[in-house]
Amino acid sequence: MNHTRGWRTATILMTLLGLCQVWWAGGIGDRTSVSAAILAPLSLLSALALSRVNALETRLPVVVVTGAQLCLTVLALTIGLPGQVRHDIDARAGIVLAVAMGILVAIEVDRRERARSAWAGPAPYAR
């Protein structure tokens, strides 16, 4: 298995995002979140899959779930979710934005590290 710093960072941040979503879905913060209740198990399952295998099939759900959380947060901050008023930026939104962007950056760093290490040797058809 190819363990890179980006892969480890993405796994840790995805687990952190999933645990925060569980916290917010339980209503332990200032308000409950239905989107967090839906995305929490998906985040934790994709973090578990990513921790086991670093492959396209495990990175894709991480990117999709992270993108969904990021889009929902930006939508809530700009015009509001359907049937709700616009939210002001608070600690929850800051955490989601920072962790989600960190996950996407870590996945990209992992991709670059793996691509760099794949071509570390001589060209396959060189004489």
Side-chain angles (χ1 to χ4, degrees), residues 13-37:
L13 289 176
M14 194 67 191
T15 304
L16 177 67
L17 182 63
L19 293 175
C20 287
Q21 289 168 342
V22 168
W23 178 273
W24 297 323
I28 299 172
D30 54 345
R31 62 185 187 272
T32 60
S33 175
V34 175
S35 62

Side-chain angles (χ1 to χ4, degrees), residues 4-14 50 59 99-113:
T4 64
R5 278 182 290 162
W7 173 73
R8 288 184 188 108
T9 304
T11 302
I12 292 168
L13 289 176
M14 194 67 191
L50 186 64
R59 287 188 306 269
V99 172
M101 291 306 294
I103 292 168
L104 296 177
V105 168
I107 292 288
E108 178 62 20
V109 167
D110 172 60
R111 184 193 67 81
R112 289 181 184 210
E113 287 177 358

Side-chain angles (χ1 to χ4, degrees), residues 16-83:
L16 177 67
L17 182 63
L19 293 175
C20 287
Q21 289 168 342
V22 168
W23 178 273
W24 297 323
I28 299 172
D30 54 345
R31 62 185 187 272
T32 60
S33 175
V34 175
S35 62
I38 294 170
L39 291 175
L42 298 174
S43 297
L44 292 173
L45 284 174
S46 60
L48 178 66
L50 186 64
S51 70
R52 295 177 49 106
V53 178
N54 185 13
L56 174 67
E57 294 84 5
T58 57
R59 287 188 306 269
L60 183 62
V62 169
V63 171
V64 169
V65 171
T66 303
Q69 182 65 56
L70 192 61
C71 288
L72 284 171
T73 303
V74 169
L75 182 65
L77 292 175
T78 54
I79 60 174
L81 294 173

